[in-house]
Amino acid sequence: MRNLKRNNPNLFTDHRFVVLVLALFAFGMSAYLSQTVFERLPHLEDEVAYLYQARVFARGDIVIESPETSRVFWQPFIVDRQGNRFSKYTPGWSAQLAVGILLGEYWVINAFFAALTVAVTYRFGREIFNPQTGVIAAALFAFSPMALLLNATLMSHTSALFWTTLFLYAYWRVERGRHATRWGLLAGLALGALVATRPLTAVAIALPVIVWSVIRLVRAFAASLRTEVKGLVTEKELSPQSAIGTAAAVEASLSSHKTQSSALSPQSFFSILRPLIALSIVAIVLSAAVPIYNRAAVGDPLFDLYRLVWDYDRIGFGAGQVYGRSGHTLTKAFNHGRFDLSLTAADLFGWQLGTITDANGDVLPEIVTQLTTEADYWLRTGLSWVLLPFGLFVGFRRKSPWVILWFLLLYGWMRFAFDWQGGAQMTNPVFAWLWLAVAFAWLLAPFLVLRRRTEVWTWILAAVTLSLLGSQMTYWIGSQRYSTRYYYEALTAVCLLSALPIAWLVRWRTEVKGLRAEKNSVGRSETAQQADFQPSPQSSVLSPLLYAVFAALLVYSFITYSLPRIGVLRGFNHVNRERIAEIEARREPGRDVLVIVNGTDVRWRAFGALMAVTSPYLDSPIVAAWNFQDSSTLRDDIIARFPDRQVIDLRAQGEESWFDEEVATAP
């Protein structure tokens, strides 16, 4: 596919303005939805832990000392071990969120990353394919319901997607060769940050790039060997007699040979290797944040902190409560994948059959239930995937039949897992790992035969997406609460592939003329050849029309799907600012408040909003404490720790809480 830098000198400027608007839209919607839907509070246990650890980092600490009677100040996914208190999560995202803590507005970090991702997505698509693909992909990302939702939360996925996008783009620049070492350093920075933020995701994203890098090195080394052998053979074939008569010709021939083979010499191998070494060093150094954090927390840099909360919370396959609450099998992996992908098919771009609202614009009750409590098949038929096959067709052109064959064989391998021995091996952990190993080998095999840059990068985008899907099969649980967030880091790749067919239609006249020009370029001047790439009168009318239809589709899905779908999560998990406002209304002027939550059977949701405003150092204006024994003795001990604070009591049961004006505690 030919880049259109030669096409219209004003085209890039127009696209740049559109991308700026899209980036501001992404930032603005993150700010708006984080305020109106999520009220800038954590609504999942993960967010509570991220925010807690970010506040610790913002004070300059890695871990803090566990408070006395630590269960009183318990928060979900916060661990007390060996006198230390810390989050179970790797430190990457909390460290980034800590910057927002220091700025006084922690929501701004995800908004900032959202805007940056729009810009990098455009640049990425523009350079690999063409400006139209870049701007369409940026628009798809900015309006994606998945992006709009997650960008407004305190989850790590928006950050991880940005680092994923930057890593892939920087590696693309490394491959181009100019300033390769600098771009290698940037790619290493992005990959290291991704490892520190979401390690399993980083492995899945990096795997196709690593394999392609190895293939590039092997090809360069083999080419250098062939060049050396060819040079030796040429020297032997030159006899002294012929050399006397044709000295000038021989010298010219050897000079020409050296010039032509320089790109394939051993230096060419090292020119590929050098930026990869830079990339690896920076990535390893930043990734070291994980073992450093683990060592500070538990004294063991290789310990899996997830297992301190649930010992079964690990990747892998097996029976019992070793991998997952009730074991994990290949059958469960496929089921989770099918359930989650059914929602992904709608959440990607908001395209589906049917509606999620009634005639009054209210979200249907069954949809609310599905989005807040269920995790099986989505109740509508999602259509957001429909552009992907056409994107692969545009990327591979004449090789598309081979791509179809590749997917058919992959489907056959999936059917084999279900049909062999009647599916009996689906519960066998060894078979599960062997099946995945073959699937990943098949995923990476096309790199052995692909050589054209556009085809290679089309497959890298596809491979990154499939690799992420495959890696998540090893985890015991799916995810649908905040959309299918485990797949979110593939969104940029999906947007680029989905943008290809739309961009092809926008550029159709120019594409056809360009293909004809390539066949008829011999003997024609450069000016005449460039004229072949100028838009025709028909394309100048068709392109704005296609852009208008595309923009209308984005706006329609934004209004009819994205806003109501995200709005369902307002007050999710009983977390909202109403309880905080009620505390503030009862607060005496000039006094800090101690809120005591009384009850033995209490879930975190009963006072999650108060957890969010409680400092890890217990010095915030509002401190929430749990009287988990529901006894006057423990309550008095808590009050004694904060003698100068006004005491407000809550009674809690399960996920509900209410003010207890007259505390009646058990003796």
Side-chain angles (χ1 to χ4, degrees), residues 46-47 50 89-90 92-94 96 110 113 150 153-163 194 196-198 201 306 485 488-489:
D46 314 53
E47 295 176 286
Y50 286 134
Y89 290 106
T90 54
W93 170 232
S94 292
Q96 297 164 65
N110 266 345
F113 280 133
L150 283 164
T153 70
L154 298 178
M155 295 295 284
S156 64
H157 300 276
T158 296
S159 163
L161 177 62
F162 168 73
W163 295 121
L194 182 59
T197 302
R198 299 193 63 80
T201 297
Y306 275 54
R485 62 184 189 273
Y488 184 65
E489 288 76 13

PDB file of all heavy atoms in Angstrom, residues 46-47 50 89-90 92-94 96 110 113 150 153-163 194 196-198 201 306 485 488-489:
ATOM      1  N   ASP A  46      -9.825  -3.650  42.652  1.00  0.00           N
ATOM      2  CA  ASP A  46      -8.540  -3.341  42.023  1.00  0.00           C
ATOM      3  C   ASP A  46      -8.220  -1.859  42.146  1.00  0.00           C
ATOM      4  O   ASP A  46      -7.084  -1.476  42.472  1.00  0.00           O
ATOM      5  CB  ASP A  46      -8.574  -3.722  40.539  1.00  0.00           C
ATOM      6  CG  ASP A  46      -9.164  -5.096  40.282  1.00  0.00           C
ATOM      7  OD1 ASP A  46     -10.286  -5.354  40.751  1.00  0.00           O
ATOM      8  OD2 ASP A  46      -8.513  -5.893  39.581  1.00  0.00           O
ATOM      9  N   GLU A  47      -9.206  -1.019  41.866  1.00  0.00           N
ATOM     10  CA  GLU A  47      -8.989   0.427  41.927  1.00  0.00           C
ATOM     11  C   GLU A  47      -8.684   0.889  43.345  1.00  0.00           C
ATOM     12  O   GLU A  47      -7.860   1.784  43.556  1.00  0.00           O
ATOM     13  CB  GLU A  47     -10.226   1.158  41.410  1.00  0.00           C
ATOM     14  CG  GLU A  47     -10.535   0.933  39.940  1.00  0.00           C
ATOM     15  CD  GLU A  47     -11.825   1.603  39.534  1.00  0.00           C
ATOM     16  OE1 GLU A  47     -12.905   1.094  39.911  1.00  0.00           O
ATOM     17  OE2 GLU A  47     -11.766   2.636  38.842  1.00  0.00           O
ATOM     18  N   TYR A  50      -5.037   0.033  43.879  1.00  0.00           N
ATOM     19  CA  TYR A  50      -4.171   0.919  43.096  1.00  0.00           C
ATOM     20  C   TYR A  50      -4.058   2.294  43.755  1.00  0.00           C
ATOM     21  O   TYR A  50      -2.957   2.859  43.867  1.00  0.00           O
ATOM     22  CB  TYR A  50      -4.723   1.082  41.679  1.00  0.00           C
ATOM     23  CG  TYR A  50      -4.535  -0.097  40.768  1.00  0.00           C
ATOM     24  CD1 TYR A  50      -5.590  -0.561  39.978  1.00  0.00           C
ATOM     25  CD2 TYR A  50      -3.308  -0.750  40.665  1.00  0.00           C
ATOM     26  CE1 TYR A  50      -5.429  -1.644  39.121  1.00  0.00           C
ATOM     27  CE2 TYR A  50      -3.140  -1.832  39.813  1.00  0.00           C
ATOM     28  CZ  TYR A  50      -4.203  -2.271  39.043  1.00  0.00           C
ATOM     29  OH  TYR A  50      -4.038  -3.330  38.193  1.00  0.00           O
ATOM     30  N   TYR A  89      -0.692  -5.783  43.793  1.00  0.00           N
ATOM     31  CA  TYR A  89      -0.434  -5.557  42.373  1.00  0.00           C
ATOM     32  C   TYR A  89       0.997  -5.096  42.124  1.00  0.00           C
ATOM     33  O   TYR A  89       1.635  -4.486  42.991  1.00  0.00           O
ATOM     34  CB  TYR A  89      -1.414  -4.526  41.807  1.00  0.00           C
ATOM     35  CG  TYR A  89      -2.820  -5.043  41.719  1.00  0.00           C
ATOM     36  CD1 TYR A  89      -3.793  -4.620  42.616  1.00  0.00           C
ATOM     37  CD2 TYR A  89      -3.173  -5.970  40.749  1.00  0.00           C
ATOM     38  CE1 TYR A  89      -5.086  -5.100  42.540  1.00  0.00           C
ATOM     39  CE2 TYR A  89      -4.473  -6.457  40.669  1.00  0.00           C
ATOM     40  CZ  TYR A  89      -5.418  -6.024  41.568  1.00  0.00           C
ATOM     41  OH  TYR A  89      -6.695  -6.512  41.500  1.00  0.00           O
ATOM     42  N   THR A  90       1.488  -5.389  40.913  1.00  0.00           N
ATOM     43  CA  THR A  90       2.795  -4.879  40.515  1.00  0.00           C
ATOM     44  C   THR A  90       2.781  -3.353  40.563  1.00  0.00           C
ATOM     45  O   THR A  90       1.728  -2.732  40.412  1.00  0.00           O
ATOM     46  CB  THR A  90       3.151  -5.369  39.107  1.00  0.00           C
ATOM     47  OG1 THR A  90       2.097  -5.023  38.202  1.00  0.00           O
ATOM     48  CG2 THR A  90       3.359  -6.877  39.085  1.00  0.00           C
ATOM     49  N   GLY A  92       3.764  -0.783  38.714  1.00  0.00           N
ATOM     50  CA  GLY A  92       3.799   0.138  37.589  1.00  0.00           C
ATOM     51  C   GLY A  92       2.689   1.162  37.562  1.00  0.00           C
ATOM     52  O   GLY A  92       2.939   2.378  37.492  1.00  0.00           O
ATOM     53  N   TRP A  93       1.437   0.705  37.609  1.00  0.00           N
ATOM     54  CA  TRP A  93       0.331   1.639  37.484  1.00  0.00           C
ATOM     55  C   TRP A  93       0.212   2.530  38.719  1.00  0.00           C
ATOM     56  O   TRP A  93      -0.034   3.740  38.601  1.00  0.00           O
ATOM     57  CB  TRP A  93      -0.971   0.900  37.240  1.00  0.00           C
ATOM     58  CG  TRP A  93      -2.201   1.760  37.334  1.00  0.00           C
ATOM     59  CD1 TRP A  93      -3.309   1.522  38.075  1.00  0.00           C
ATOM     60  CD2 TRP A  93      -2.449   3.011  36.651  1.00  0.00           C
ATOM     61  NE1 TRP A  93      -4.230   2.533  37.921  1.00  0.00           N
ATOM     62  CE2 TRP A  93      -3.723   3.463  37.044  1.00  0.00           C
ATOM     63  CE3 TRP A  93      -1.699   3.771  35.767  1.00  0.00           C
ATOM     64  CZ2 TRP A  93      -4.270   4.646  36.565  1.00  0.00           C
ATOM     65  CZ3 TRP A  93      -2.251   4.969  35.291  1.00  0.00           C
ATOM     66  CH2 TRP A  93      -3.528   5.387  35.693  1.00  0.00           C
ATOM     67  N   SER A  94       0.407   1.993  39.903  1.00  0.00           N
ATOM     68  CA  SER A  94       0.318   2.825  41.106  1.00  0.00           C
ATOM     69  C   SER A  94       1.376   3.913  41.094  1.00  0.00           C
ATOM     70  O   SER A  94       1.129   5.042  41.551  1.00  0.00           O
ATOM     71  CB  SER A  94       0.471   1.953  42.358  1.00  0.00           C
ATOM     72  OG  SER A  94      -0.645   1.091  42.515  1.00  0.00           O
ATOM     73  N   GLN A  96       2.547   5.396  38.415  1.00  0.00           N
ATOM     74  CA  GLN A  96       2.066   6.423  37.485  1.00  0.00           C
ATOM     75  C   GLN A  96       0.911   7.212  38.101  1.00  0.00           C
ATOM     76  O   GLN A  96       0.824   8.434  37.944  1.00  0.00           O
ATOM     77  CB  GLN A  96       1.624   5.756  36.185  1.00  0.00           C
ATOM     78  CG  GLN A  96       2.757   5.056  35.451  1.00  0.00           C
ATOM     79  CD  GLN A  96       2.264   4.083  34.406  1.00  0.00           C
ATOM     80  OE1 GLN A  96       1.653   4.482  33.421  1.00  0.00           O
ATOM     81  NE2 GLN A  96       2.513   2.796  34.600  1.00  0.00           N
ATOM     82  N   ASN A 110      -5.164   8.974  33.554  1.00  0.00           N
ATOM     83  CA  ASN A 110      -5.786   8.182  32.485  1.00  0.00           C
ATOM     84  C   ASN A 110      -6.299   9.078  31.359  1.00  0.00           C
ATOM     85  O   ASN A 110      -6.265   8.680  30.183  1.00  0.00           O
ATOM     86  CB  ASN A 110      -6.919   7.325  33.046  1.00  0.00           C
ATOM     87  CG  ASN A 110      -6.453   5.925  33.416  1.00  0.00           C
ATOM     88  OD1 ASN A 110      -5.373   5.485  33.017  1.00  0.00           O
ATOM     89  ND2 ASN A 110      -7.257   5.213  34.184  1.00  0.00           N
ATOM     90  N   PHE A 113      -3.246   9.813  29.250  1.00  0.00           N
ATOM     91  CA  PHE A 113      -2.860   8.654  28.452  1.00  0.00           C
ATOM     92  C   PHE A 113      -3.848   8.419  27.300  1.00  0.00           C
ATOM     93  O   PHE A 113      -3.447   7.990  26.210  1.00  0.00           O
ATOM     94  CB  PHE A 113      -2.760   7.408  29.317  1.00  0.00           C
ATOM     95  CG  PHE A 113      -1.477   7.306  30.095  1.00  0.00           C
ATOM     96  CD1 PHE A 113      -1.491   6.987  31.444  1.00  0.00           C
ATOM     97  CD2 PHE A 113      -0.261   7.517  29.486  1.00  0.00           C
ATOM     98  CE1 PHE A 113      -0.311   6.888  32.162  1.00  0.00           C
ATOM     99  CE2 PHE A 113       0.933   7.427  30.191  1.00  0.00           C
ATOM    100  CZ  PHE A 113       0.905   7.111  31.532  1.00  0.00           C
ATOM    101  N   LEU A 150     -13.074   2.673  30.185  1.00  0.00           N
ATOM    102  CA  LEU A 150     -11.863   2.434  30.973  1.00  0.00           C
ATOM    103  C   LEU A 150     -11.035   3.697  31.168  1.00  0.00           C
ATOM    104  O   LEU A 150     -10.360   3.843  32.199  1.00  0.00           O
ATOM    105  CB  LEU A 150     -11.027   1.340  30.317  1.00  0.00           C
ATOM    106  CG  LEU A 150     -11.568  -0.077  30.558  1.00  0.00           C
ATOM    107  CD1 LEU A 150     -10.951  -1.079  29.596  1.00  0.00           C
ATOM    108  CD2 LEU A 150     -11.310  -0.503  31.999  1.00  0.00           C
ATOM    109  N   THR A 153     -11.889   5.429  34.439  1.00  0.00           N
ATOM    110  CA  THR A 153     -11.721   4.714  35.699  1.00  0.00           C
ATOM    111  C   THR A 153     -10.316   4.924  36.256  1.00  0.00           C
ATOM    112  O   THR A 153      -9.497   5.655  35.691  1.00  0.00           O
ATOM    113  CB  THR A 153     -11.948   3.206  35.495  1.00  0.00           C
ATOM    114  OG1 THR A 153     -10.860   2.647  34.731  1.00  0.00           O
ATOM    115  CG2 THR A 153     -13.260   2.957  34.762  1.00  0.00           C
ATOM    116  N   LEU A 154     -10.045   4.226  37.355  1.00  0.00           N
ATOM    117  CA  LEU A 154      -8.705   4.233  37.941  1.00  0.00           C
ATOM    118  C   LEU A 154      -7.982   2.921  37.671  1.00  0.00           C
ATOM    119  O   LEU A 154      -6.989   2.615  38.337  1.00  0.00           O
ATOM    120  CB  LEU A 154      -8.805   4.466  39.455  1.00  0.00           C
ATOM    121  CG  LEU A 154      -9.428   5.791  39.883  1.00  0.00           C
ATOM    122  CD1 LEU A 154      -9.522   5.874  41.400  1.00  0.00           C
ATOM    123  CD2 LEU A 154      -8.630   6.969  39.340  1.00  0.00           C
ATOM    124  N   MET A 155      -8.446   2.171  36.663  1.00  0.00           N
ATOM    125  CA  MET A 155      -7.811   0.913  36.312  1.00  0.00           C
ATOM    126  C   MET A 155      -6.527   1.150  35.522  1.00  0.00           C
ATOM    127  O   MET A 155      -6.302   2.221  34.952  1.00  0.00           O
ATOM    128  CB  MET A 155      -8.774   0.046  35.518  1.00  0.00           C
ATOM    129  CG  MET A 155     -10.001  -0.386  36.308  1.00  0.00           C
ATOM    130  SD  MET A 155      -9.599  -1.473  37.693  1.00  0.00           S
ATOM    131  CE  MET A 155      -9.298  -3.006  36.828  1.00  0.00           C
ATOM    132  N   SER A 156      -5.703   0.109  35.443  1.00  0.00           N
ATOM    133  CA  SER A 156      -4.383   0.216  34.814  1.00  0.00           C
ATOM    134  C   SER A 156      -4.420   0.062  33.307  1.00  0.00           C
ATOM    135  O   SER A 156      -3.398   0.272  32.638  1.00  0.00           O
ATOM    136  CB  SER A 156      -3.468  -0.865  35.392  1.00  0.00           C
ATOM    137  OG  SER A 156      -3.953  -2.168  35.064  1.00  0.00           O
ATOM    138  N   HIS A 157      -5.556  -0.290  32.718  1.00  0.00           N
ATOM    139  CA  HIS A 157      -5.587  -0.699  31.315  1.00  0.00           C
ATOM    140  C   HIS A 157      -5.335   0.457  30.341  1.00  0.00           C
ATOM    141  O   HIS A 157      -4.743   0.253  29.276  1.00  0.00           O
ATOM    142  CB  HIS A 157      -6.919  -1.377  31.011  1.00  0.00           C
ATOM    143  CG  HIS A 157      -7.150  -2.596  31.833  1.00  0.00           C
ATOM    144  ND1 HIS A 157      -6.655  -3.835  31.490  1.00  0.00           N
ATOM    145  CD2 HIS A 157      -7.798  -2.765  33.009  1.00  0.00           C
ATOM    146  CE1 HIS A 157      -7.007  -4.724  32.404  1.00  0.00           C
ATOM    147  NE2 HIS A 157      -7.699  -4.094  33.339  1.00  0.00           N
ATOM    148  N   THR A 158      -5.781   1.650  30.665  1.00  0.00           N
ATOM    149  CA  THR A 158      -5.530   2.790  29.766  1.00  0.00           C
ATOM    150  C   THR A 158      -4.043   3.075  29.677  1.00  0.00           C
ATOM    151  O   THR A 158      -3.501   3.307  28.589  1.00  0.00           O
ATOM    152  CB  THR A 158      -6.290   4.027  30.262  1.00  0.00           C
ATOM    153  OG1 THR A 158      -7.695   3.774  30.184  1.00  0.00           O
ATOM    154  CG2 THR A 158      -5.959   5.246  29.423  1.00  0.00           C
ATOM    155  N   SER A 159      -3.369   3.053  30.809  1.00  0.00           N
ATOM    156  CA  SER A 159      -1.921   3.211  30.811  1.00  0.00           C
ATOM    157  C   SER A 159      -1.256   2.093  30.020  1.00  0.00           C
ATOM    158  O   SER A 159      -0.367   2.344  29.196  1.00  0.00           O
ATOM    159  CB  SER A 159      -1.405   3.206  32.258  1.00  0.00           C
ATOM    160  OG  SER A 159      -0.016   2.970  32.315  1.00  0.00           O
ATOM    161  N   ALA A 160      -1.687   0.850  30.261  1.00  0.00           N
ATOM    162  CA  ALA A 160      -1.084  -0.296  29.576  1.00  0.00           C
ATOM    163  C   ALA A 160      -1.290  -0.209  28.065  1.00  0.00           C
ATOM    164  O   ALA A 160      -0.395  -0.572  27.286  1.00  0.00           O
ATOM    165  CB  ALA A 160      -1.667  -1.599  30.124  1.00  0.00           C
ATOM    166  N   LEU A 161      -2.453   0.258  27.629  1.00  0.00           N
ATOM    167  CA  LEU A 161      -2.696   0.398  26.194  1.00  0.00           C
ATOM    168  C   LEU A 161      -1.772   1.457  25.589  1.00  0.00           C
ATOM    169  O   LEU A 161      -1.242   1.277  24.487  1.00  0.00           O
ATOM    170  CB  LEU A 161      -4.153   0.764  25.929  1.00  0.00           C
ATOM    171  CG  LEU A 161      -4.495   1.013  24.453  1.00  0.00           C
ATOM    172  CD1 LEU A 161      -4.265  -0.243  23.618  1.00  0.00           C
ATOM    173  CD2 LEU A 161      -5.937   1.494  24.301  1.00  0.00           C
ATOM    174  N   PHE A 162      -1.584   2.555  26.296  1.00  0.00           N
ATOM    175  CA  PHE A 162      -0.665   3.573  25.776  1.00  0.00           C
ATOM    176  C   PHE A 162       0.741   3.014  25.632  1.00  0.00           C
ATOM    177  O   PHE A 162       1.397   3.203  24.592  1.00  0.00           O
ATOM    178  CB  PHE A 162      -0.629   4.798  26.688  1.00  0.00           C
ATOM    179  CG  PHE A 162       0.494   5.735  26.352  1.00  0.00           C
ATOM    180  CD1 PHE A 162       0.444   6.517  25.210  1.00  0.00           C
ATOM    181  CD2 PHE A 162       1.624   5.805  27.155  1.00  0.00           C
ATOM    182  CE1 PHE A 162       1.495   7.357  24.877  1.00  0.00           C
ATOM    183  CE2 PHE A 162       2.682   6.642  26.833  1.00  0.00           C
ATOM    184  CZ  PHE A 162       2.615   7.424  25.692  1.00  0.00           C
ATOM    185  N   TRP A 163       1.229   2.322  26.649  1.00  0.00           N
ATOM    186  CA  TRP A 163       2.589   1.773  26.563  1.00  0.00           C
ATOM    187  C   TRP A 163       2.677   0.713  25.471  1.00  0.00           C
ATOM    188  O   TRP A 163       3.701   0.606  24.788  1.00  0.00           O
ATOM    189  CB  TRP A 163       3.008   1.204  27.917  1.00  0.00           C
ATOM    190  CG  TRP A 163       3.137   2.218  29.000  1.00  0.00           C
ATOM    191  CD1 TRP A 163       2.467   2.258  30.185  1.00  0.00           C
ATOM    192  CD2 TRP A 163       3.993   3.369  29.005  1.00  0.00           C
ATOM    193  NE1 TRP A 163       2.839   3.342  30.927  1.00  0.00           N
ATOM    194  CE2 TRP A 163       3.779   4.043  30.225  1.00  0.00           C
ATOM    195  CE3 TRP A 163       4.914   3.893  28.103  1.00  0.00           C
ATOM    196  CZ2 TRP A 163       4.460   5.220  30.560  1.00  0.00           C
ATOM    197  CZ3 TRP A 163       5.592   5.061  28.425  1.00  0.00           C
ATOM    198  CH2 TRP A 163       5.364   5.708  29.642  1.00  0.00           C
ATOM    199  N   LEU A 194       5.236  -1.317  30.591  1.00  0.00           N
ATOM    200  CA  LEU A 194       4.141  -2.271  30.431  1.00  0.00           C
ATOM    201  C   LEU A 194       4.353  -3.492  31.317  1.00  0.00           C
ATOM    202  O   LEU A 194       3.404  -3.984  31.943  1.00  0.00           O
ATOM    203  CB  LEU A 194       4.024  -2.685  28.965  1.00  0.00           C
ATOM    204  CG  LEU A 194       2.896  -3.658  28.607  1.00  0.00           C
ATOM    205  CD1 LEU A 194       1.533  -3.081  28.980  1.00  0.00           C
ATOM    206  CD2 LEU A 194       2.937  -4.002  27.120  1.00  0.00           C
ATOM    207  N   ALA A 196       5.978  -3.593  34.151  1.00  0.00           N
ATOM    208  CA  ALA A 196       5.746  -3.174  35.529  1.00  0.00           C
ATOM    209  C   ALA A 196       4.271  -2.932  35.813  1.00  0.00           C
ATOM    210  O   ALA A 196       3.843  -2.972  36.975  1.00  0.00           O
ATOM    211  CB  ALA A 196       6.541  -1.904  35.832  1.00  0.00           C
ATOM    212  N   THR A 197       3.491  -2.698  34.772  1.00  0.00           N
ATOM    213  CA  THR A 197       2.062  -2.408  34.938  1.00  0.00           C
ATOM    214  C   THR A 197       1.211  -3.662  34.823  1.00  0.00           C
ATOM    215  O   THR A 197       0.377  -3.944  35.692  1.00  0.00           O
ATOM    216  CB  THR A 197       1.610  -1.375  33.886  1.00  0.00           C
ATOM    217  OG1 THR A 197       2.399  -0.187  34.033  1.00  0.00           O
ATOM    218  CG2 THR A 197       0.140  -1.026  34.047  1.00  0.00           C
ATOM    219  N   ARG A 198       1.405  -4.447  33.740  1.00  0.00           N
ATOM    220  CA  ARG A 198       0.631  -5.663  33.513  1.00  0.00           C
ATOM    221  C   ARG A 198       1.559  -6.713  32.886  1.00  0.00           C
ATOM    222  O   ARG A 198       1.673  -6.796  31.654  1.00  0.00           O
ATOM    223  CB  ARG A 198      -0.578  -5.393  32.611  1.00  0.00           C
ATOM    224  CG  ARG A 198      -1.568  -4.380  33.181  1.00  0.00           C
ATOM    225  CD  ARG A 198      -2.886  -4.366  32.426  1.00  0.00           C
ATOM    226  NE  ARG A 198      -3.572  -5.628  32.512  1.00  0.00           N
ATOM    227  CZ  ARG A 198      -4.311  -6.041  33.549  1.00  0.00           C
ATOM    228  NH1 ARG A 198      -4.429  -5.268  34.613  1.00  0.00           N
ATOM    229  NH2 ARG A 198      -4.903  -7.210  33.543  1.00  0.00           N
ATOM    230  N   THR A 201       0.217  -9.323  30.183  1.00  0.00           N
ATOM    231  CA  THR A 201      -0.085  -8.593  28.953  1.00  0.00           C
ATOM    232  C   THR A 201       1.196  -8.246  28.206  1.00  0.00           C
ATOM    233  O   THR A 201       1.263  -8.365  26.973  1.00  0.00           O
ATOM    234  CB  THR A 201      -0.867  -7.311  29.278  1.00  0.00           C
ATOM    235  OG1 THR A 201      -2.118  -7.658  29.872  1.00  0.00           O
ATOM    236  CG2 THR A 201      -1.114  -6.483  28.029  1.00  0.00           C
ATOM    237  N   TYR A 306       0.050 -11.876  44.301  1.00  0.00           N
ATOM    238  CA  TYR A 306      -1.369 -12.180  44.127  1.00  0.00           C
ATOM    239  C   TYR A 306      -1.808 -13.300  45.070  1.00  0.00           C
ATOM    240  O   TYR A 306      -2.935 -13.304  45.582  1.00  0.00           O
ATOM    241  CB  TYR A 306      -1.637 -12.613  42.684  1.00  0.00           C
ATOM    242  CG  TYR A 306      -1.868 -11.495  41.703  1.00  0.00           C
ATOM    243  CD1 TYR A 306      -0.947 -10.459  41.557  1.00  0.00           C
ATOM    244  CD2 TYR A 306      -2.997 -11.471  40.898  1.00  0.00           C
ATOM    245  CE1 TYR A 306      -1.140  -9.442  40.646  1.00  0.00           C
ATOM    246  CE2 TYR A 306      -3.202 -10.450  39.982  1.00  0.00           C
ATOM    247  CZ  TYR A 306      -2.279  -9.448  39.859  1.00  0.00           C
ATOM    248  OH  TYR A 306      -2.489  -8.445  38.954  1.00  0.00           O
ATOM    249  N   ARG A 485     -11.959  -6.077  29.852  1.00  0.00           N
ATOM    250  CA  ARG A 485     -10.750  -5.280  29.999  1.00  0.00           C
ATOM    251  C   ARG A 485      -9.465  -6.073  29.793  1.00  0.00           C
ATOM    252  O   ARG A 485      -8.418  -5.494  29.503  1.00  0.00           O
ATOM    253  CB  ARG A 485     -10.728  -4.597  31.366  1.00  0.00           C
ATOM    254  CG  ARG A 485     -10.704  -5.532  32.568  1.00  0.00           C
ATOM    255  CD  ARG A 485     -10.776  -4.720  33.854  1.00  0.00           C
ATOM    256  NE  ARG A 485     -10.546  -5.510  35.047  1.00  0.00           N
ATOM    257  CZ  ARG A 485     -11.483  -6.160  35.704  1.00  0.00           C
ATOM    258  NH1 ARG A 485     -12.738  -6.114  35.275  1.00  0.00           N
ATOM    259  NH2 ARG A 485     -11.196  -6.860  36.787  1.00  0.00           N
ATOM    260  N   TYR A 488      -8.171  -5.348  26.448  1.00  0.00           N
ATOM    261  CA  TYR A 488      -8.170  -3.926  26.081  1.00  0.00           C
ATOM    262  C   TYR A 488      -6.872  -3.491  25.411  1.00  0.00           C
ATOM    263  O   TYR A 488      -6.880  -2.632  24.536  1.00  0.00           O
ATOM    264  CB  TYR A 488      -8.420  -3.080  27.325  1.00  0.00           C
ATOM    265  CG  TYR A 488      -8.532  -1.597  27.055  1.00  0.00           C
ATOM    266  CD1 TYR A 488      -9.577  -1.096  26.294  1.00  0.00           C
ATOM    267  CD2 TYR A 488      -7.595  -0.703  27.558  1.00  0.00           C
ATOM    268  CE1 TYR A 488      -9.695   0.264  26.045  1.00  0.00           C
ATOM    269  CE2 TYR A 488      -7.702   0.659  27.322  1.00  0.00           C
ATOM    270  CZ  TYR A 488      -8.750   1.140  26.562  1.00  0.00           C
ATOM    271  OH  TYR A 488      -8.854   2.489  26.319  1.00  0.00           O
ATOM    272  N   GLU A 489      -5.751  -4.078  25.810  1.00  0.00           N
ATOM    273  CA  GLU A 489      -4.469  -3.626  25.286  1.00  0.00           C
ATOM    274  C   GLU A 489      -4.290  -3.955  23.801  1.00  0.00           C
ATOM    275  O   GLU A 489      -3.308  -3.512  23.180  1.00  0.00           O
ATOM    276  CB  GLU A 489      -3.324  -4.212  26.106  1.00  0.00           C
ATOM    277  CG  GLU A 489      -3.185  -3.614  27.498  1.00  0.00           C
ATOM    278  CD  GLU A 489      -4.226  -4.128  28.487  1.00  0.00           C
ATOM    279  OE1 GLU A 489      -4.908  -5.130  28.161  1.00  0.00           O
ATOM    280  OE2 GLU A 489      -4.361  -3.540  29.574  1.00  0.00           O
TER     281      GLU A 489
END
